[in-house]
Tab-separated table of all heavy atoms in Angstrom:
chain	number	residue	atom	x	y	z
A	1	ILE	N	-6.262	-14.622	-8.327
A	1	ILE	CA	-5.835	-14.248	-6.992
A	1	ILE	C	-6.208	-12.786	-6.780
A	1	ILE	O	-6.662	-12.110	-7.718
A	1	ILE	CB	-4.314	-14.433	-6.795
A	1	ILE	CG1	-3.521	-13.539	-7.761
A	1	ILE	CG2	-3.922	-15.899	-6.967
A	1	ILE	CD1	-2.021	-13.585	-7.548
A	2	GLU	N	-6.052	-12.284	-5.548
A	2	GLU	CA	-6.274	-10.861	-5.269
A	2	GLU	C	-4.953	-10.226	-4.848
A	2	GLU	O	-4.115	-10.880	-4.213
A	2	GLU	CB	-7.300	-10.655	-4.150
A	2	GLU	CG	-8.748	-10.810	-4.577
A	2	GLU	CD	-9.245	-12.236	-4.434
A	2	GLU	OE1	-8.548	-13.050	-3.779
A	2	GLU	OE2	-10.314	-12.540	-4.979
A	3	VAL	N	-4.781	-8.961	-5.172
A	3	VAL	CA	-3.615	-8.199	-4.744
A	3	VAL	C	-4.096	-7.007	-3.926
A	3	VAL	O	-4.899	-6.199	-4.401
A	3	VAL	CB	-2.781	-7.711	-5.940
A	3	VAL	CG1	-1.589	-6.883	-5.445
A	3	VAL	CG2	-2.296	-8.891	-6.770
A	4	ILE	N	-3.610	-6.919	-2.692
A	4	ILE	CA	-3.993	-5.846	-1.776
A	4	ILE	C	-2.829	-4.866	-1.648
A	4	ILE	O	-1.687	-5.271	-1.412
A	4	ILE	CB	-4.341	-6.403	-0.377
A	4	ILE	CG1	-5.516	-7.376	-0.469
A	4	ILE	CG2	-4.651	-5.276	0.597
A	4	ILE	CD1	-5.771	-8.141	0.828
A	5	LYS	N	-3.120	-3.584	-1.817
A	5	LYS	CA	-2.114	-2.547	-1.579
A	5	LYS	C	-2.293	-1.999	-0.173
A	5	LYS	O	-3.399	-1.620	0.223
A	5	LYS	CB	-2.249	-1.419	-2.602
A	5	LYS	CG	-1.212	-0.316	-2.436
A	5	LYS	CD	-1.354	0.761	-3.502
A	5	LYS	CE	-0.294	1.846	-3.339
A	5	LYS	NZ	-0.402	2.888	-4.386
A	6	VAL	N	-1.190	-1.973	0.582
A	6	VAL	CA	-1.234	-1.495	1.968
A	6	VAL	C	-0.319	-0.285	2.119
A	6	VAL	O	0.915	-0.421	2.088
A	6	VAL	CB	-0.794	-2.591	2.957
A	6	VAL	CG1	-0.946	-2.098	4.395
A	6	VAL	CG2	-1.585	-3.873	2.745
A	7	PRO	N	-0.854	0.928	2.269
A	7	PRO	CA	-0.009	2.090	2.572
A	7	PRO	C	0.552	1.928	3.991
A	7	PRO	O	-0.220	1.813	4.951
A	7	PRO	CB	-0.983	3.271	2.485
A	7	PRO	CG	-2.200	2.735	1.786
A	7	PRO	CD	-2.272	1.292	2.132
A	8	LEU	N	1.859	1.900	4.131
A	8	LEU	CA	2.466	1.585	5.422
A	8	LEU	C	2.158	2.633	6.486
A	8	LEU	O	2.034	2.306	7.666
A	8	LEU	CB	3.972	1.421	5.257
A	8	LEU	CG	4.399	0.256	4.359
A	8	LEU	CD1	5.906	0.222	4.204
A	8	LEU	CD2	3.887	-1.075	4.916
A	9	ALA	N	2.003	3.877	6.087
A	9	ALA	CA	1.705	4.934	7.051
A	9	ALA	C	0.241	4.936	7.467
A	9	ALA	O	-0.106	5.379	8.572
A	9	ALA	CB	2.082	6.301	6.480
A	10	THR	N	-0.632	4.427	6.573
A	10	THR	CA	-2.075	4.396	6.856
A	10	THR	C	-2.644	3.033	6.468
A	10	THR	O	-3.412	2.927	5.503
A	10	THR	CB	-2.805	5.516	6.085
A	10	THR	OG1	-2.475	5.397	4.677
A	10	THR	CG2	-2.395	6.886	6.591
A	11	PRO	N	-2.278	1.978	7.173
A	11	PRO	CA	-2.707	0.630	6.788
A	11	PRO	C	-4.212	0.432	6.794
A	11	PRO	O	-4.724	-0.487	6.137
A	11	PRO	CB	-2.019	-0.270	7.825
A	11	PRO	CG	-1.718	0.637	8.977
A	11	PRO	CD	-1.439	1.974	8.384
A	12	ALA	N	-4.938	1.273	7.510
A	12	ALA	CA	-6.399	1.172	7.513
A	12	ALA	C	-6.981	1.415	6.129
A	12	ALA	O	-8.129	1.044	5.862
A	12	ALA	CB	-6.998	2.154	8.515
A	13	GLU	N	-6.193	2.007	5.229
A	13	GLU	CA	-6.651	2.273	3.869
A	13	GLU	C	-6.328	1.136	2.907
A	13	GLU	O	-6.486	1.275	1.689
A	13	GLU	CB	-6.016	3.572	3.362
A	13	GLU	CG	-6.410	4.805	4.175
A	13	GLU	CD	-5.695	6.057	3.716
A	13	GLU	OE1	-4.982	5.996	2.681
A	13	GLU	OE2	-5.837	7.099	4.381
A	14	ALA	N	-5.884	-0.001	3.428
A	14	ALA	CA	-5.569	-1.160	2.587
A	14	ALA	C	-6.786	-1.559	1.764
A	14	ALA	O	-7.922	-1.564	2.262
A	14	ALA	CB	-5.123	-2.333	3.449
A	15	ARG	N	-6.546	-1.901	0.492
A	15	ARG	CA	-7.658	-2.273	-0.386
A	15	ARG	C	-7.145	-3.146	-1.531
A	15	ARG	O	-5.957	-3.137	-1.857
A	15	ARG	CB	-8.332	-1.034	-0.966
A	15	ARG	CG	-7.425	-0.188	-1.829
A	15	ARG	CD	-8.082	1.114	-2.274
A	15	ARG	NE	-7.196	1.912	-3.111
A	15	ARG	CZ	-7.113	1.793	-4.436
A	15	ARG	NH1	-7.885	0.899	-5.079
A	15	ARG	NH2	-6.286	2.538	-5.138
A	16	ILE	N	-8.064	-3.883	-2.136
A	16	ILE	CA	-7.724	-4.692	-3.305
A	16	ILE	C	-7.538	-3.769	-4.498
A	16	ILE	O	-8.399	-2.939	-4.788
A	16	ILE	CB	-8.823	-5.729	-3.594
A	16	ILE	CG1	-8.916	-6.742	-2.445
A	16	ILE	CG2	-8.549	-6.464	-4.905
A	16	ILE	CD1	-10.070	-7.727	-2.583
A	17	VAL	N	-6.393	-3.916	-5.190
A	17	VAL	CA	-6.124	-3.060	-6.346
A	17	VAL	C	-6.137	-3.843	-7.660
A	17	VAL	O	-6.198	-3.254	-8.736
A	17	VAL	CB	-4.775	-2.324	-6.195
A	17	VAL	CG1	-4.860	-1.301	-5.079
A	17	VAL	CG2	-3.631	-3.307	-5.954
A	18	SER	N	-6.075	-5.161	-7.602
A	18	SER	CA	-6.178	-5.959	-8.827
A	18	SER	C	-6.547	-7.389	-8.491
A	18	SER	O	-6.368	-7.848	-7.348
A	18	SER	CB	-4.868	-5.932	-9.626
A	18	SER	OG	-3.839	-6.594	-8.926
A	19	ARG	N	-7.078	-8.079	-9.487
A	19	ARG	CA	-7.473	-9.483	-9.342
A	19	ARG	C	-6.924	-10.258	-10.545
A	19	ARG	O	-7.678	-10.610	-11.448
A	19	ARG	CB	-8.997	-9.609	-9.249
A	19	ARG	CG	-9.600	-8.946	-8.009
A	19	ARG	CD	-11.113	-9.068	-8.004
A	19	ARG	NE	-11.689	-8.582	-6.761
A	19	ARG	CZ	-11.976	-7.321	-6.492
A	19	ARG	NH1	-11.739	-6.385	-7.415
A	19	ARG	NH2	-12.507	-6.969	-5.332
A	20	PRO	N	-5.636	-10.513	-10.562
A	20	PRO	CA	-5.026	-11.178	-11.730
A	20	PRO	C	-5.629	-12.559	-11.983
A	20	PRO	O	-5.740	-13.376	-11.074
A	20	PRO	CB	-3.550	-11.298	-11.337
A	20	PRO	CG	-3.349	-10.285	-10.263
A	20	PRO	CD	-4.641	-10.203	-9.524
A	21	ARG	N	-6.012	-12.793	-13.233
A	21	ARG	CA	-6.491	-14.110	-13.631
A	21	ARG	C	-5.253	-14.904	-14.038
A	21	ARG	O	-4.800	-14.860	-15.176
A	21	ARG	CB	-7.517	-13.981	-14.757
A	21	ARG	CG	-8.755	-13.197	-14.310
A	21	ARG	CD	-9.789	-13.077	-15.402
A	21	ARG	NE	-10.323	-14.364	-15.806
A	21	ARG	CZ	-11.213	-15.073	-15.101
A	21	ARG	NH1	-11.657	-14.617	-13.938
A	21	ARG	NH2	-11.655	-16.233	-15.542
A	22	VAL	N	-4.720	-15.631	-13.066
A	22	VAL	CA	-3.362	-16.165	-13.185
A	22	VAL	C	-3.220	-17.251	-14.243
A	22	VAL	O	-2.094	-17.594	-14.615
A	22	VAL	CB	-2.870	-16.701	-11.823
A	22	VAL	CG1	-2.801	-15.574	-10.817
A	22	VAL	CG2	-3.790	-17.815	-11.306
A	23	PHE	N	-4.317	-17.802	-14.731
A	23	PHE	CA	-4.226	-18.817	-15.771
A	23	PHE	C	-4.444	-18.228	-17.164
A	23	PHE	O	-4.495	-18.956	-18.144
A	23	PHE	CB	-5.266	-19.919	-15.549
A	23	PHE	CG	-5.069	-20.671	-14.260
A	23	PHE	CD1	-5.906	-20.433	-13.183
A	23	PHE	CD2	-4.054	-21.597	-14.130
A	23	PHE	CE1	-5.739	-21.129	-11.997
A	23	PHE	CE2	-3.882	-22.287	-12.944
A	23	PHE	CZ	-4.719	-22.054	-11.871
A	24	ALA	N	-4.597	-16.913	-17.248
A	24	ALA	CA	-4.980	-16.301	-18.516
A	24	ALA	C	-3.796	-16.133	-19.457
A	24	ALA	O	-2.697	-15.773	-19.036
A	24	ALA	CB	-5.626	-14.945	-18.270
A	25	ASP	N	-4.042	-16.361	-20.730
A	25	ASP	CA	-3.061	-16.088	-21.763
A	25	ASP	C	-2.960	-14.569	-21.941
A	25	ASP	O	-3.974	-13.892	-22.125
A	25	ASP	CB	-3.471	-16.740	-23.084
A	25	ASP	CG	-2.448	-16.540	-24.177
A	25	ASP	OD1	-2.405	-15.417	-24.727
A	25	ASP	OD2	-1.716	-17.498	-24.487
A	26	SER	N	-1.740	-14.029	-21.855
A	26	SER	CA	-1.579	-12.581	-21.881
A	26	SER	C	-2.004	-11.952	-23.200
A	26	SER	O	-2.302	-10.758	-23.259
A	26	SER	CB	-0.110	-12.220	-21.600
A	26	SER	OG	0.739	-12.800	-22.577
A	27	THR	N	-2.057	-12.749	-24.269
A	27	THR	CA	-2.425	-12.213	-25.588
A	27	THR	C	-3.906	-12.368	-25.882
A	27	THR	O	-4.594	-11.410	-26.253
A	27	THR	CB	-1.620	-12.907	-26.698
A	27	THR	OG1	-0.223	-12.730	-26.445
A	27	THR	CG2	-1.974	-12.332	-28.064
A	28	THR	N	-4.418	-13.576	-25.675
A	28	THR	CA	-5.813	-13.856	-26.039
A	28	THR	C	-6.791	-13.687	-24.897
A	28	THR	O	-7.983	-13.547	-25.109
A	28	THR	CB	-5.937	-15.296	-26.570
A	28	THR	OG1	-5.657	-16.219	-25.493
A	28	THR	CG2	-4.954	-15.541	-27.699
A	29	GLY	N	-6.284	-13.735	-23.665
A	29	GLY	CA	-7.176	-13.662	-22.519
A	29	GLY	C	-7.780	-14.992	-22.140
A	29	GLY	O	-8.437	-15.124	-21.110
A	30	ALA	N	-7.541	-16.013	-22.959
A	30	ALA	CA	-8.065	-17.344	-22.662
A	30	ALA	C	-7.297	-17.961	-21.504
A	30	ALA	O	-6.118	-17.688	-21.303
A	30	ALA	CB	-7.948	-18.243	-23.897
A	31	ASN	N	-8.001	-18.782	-20.721
A	31	ASN	CA	-7.345	-19.455	-19.608
A	31	ASN	C	-6.672	-20.729	-20.101
A	31	ASN	O	-7.317	-21.618	-20.652
A	31	ASN	CB	-8.363	-19.783	-18.513
A	31	ASN	CG	-8.766	-18.544	-17.759
A	31	ASN	OD1	-9.493	-17.727	-18.277
A	31	ASN	ND2	-8.269	-18.397	-16.546
A	32	ASN	N	-5.378	-20.805	-19.892
A	32	ASN	CA	-4.600	-21.930	-20.391
A	32	ASN	C	-4.165	-22.852	-19.252
A	32	ASN	O	-4.188	-22.490	-18.080
A	32	ASN	CB	-3.357	-21.426	-21.128
A	32	ASN	CG	-3.718	-20.623	-22.360
A	32	ASN	OD1	-4.734	-20.886	-22.997
A	32	ASN	ND2	-2.904	-19.643	-22.687
A	33	ALA	N	-3.723	-24.026	-19.635
A	33	ALA	CA	-3.110	-24.992	-18.718
A	33	ALA	C	-4.036	-25.404	-17.581
A	33	ALA	O	-3.598	-25.750	-16.499
A	33	ALA	CB	-1.808	-24.431	-18.137
A	34	LEU	N	-5.326	-25.355	-17.814
A	34	LEU	CA	-6.275	-25.728	-16.769
A	34	LEU	C	-6.549	-27.228	-16.804
A	34	LEU	O	-6.728	-27.820	-17.870
A	34	LEU	CB	-7.601	-24.986	-16.954
A	34	LEU	CG	-7.587	-23.500	-16.595
A	34	LEU	CD1	-8.915	-22.874	-16.953
A	34	LEU	CD2	-7.283	-23.314	-15.132
């Protein structure tokens, strides 16, 4: 998925700050449960 950070005072500066690989194992990095 993508995560967008939106500064409330300057929303025009909204940008993607991370792209979590939501199926990834936090230890090995492998994608699980697919």
Side-chain angles (χ1 to χ4, degrees):
I1 62 175
E2 281 90 13
V3 178
I4 299 171
K5 181 178 181 179
V6 184
L8 296 177
T10 54
E13 298 176 7
R15 62 186 180 88
I16 295 174
V17 292
S18 67
R19 296 178 173 84
R21 298 181 63 76
V22 297
F23 297 105
D25 183 283
S26 60
T27 302
T28 66
N31 286 73
N32 296 328
L34 287 175

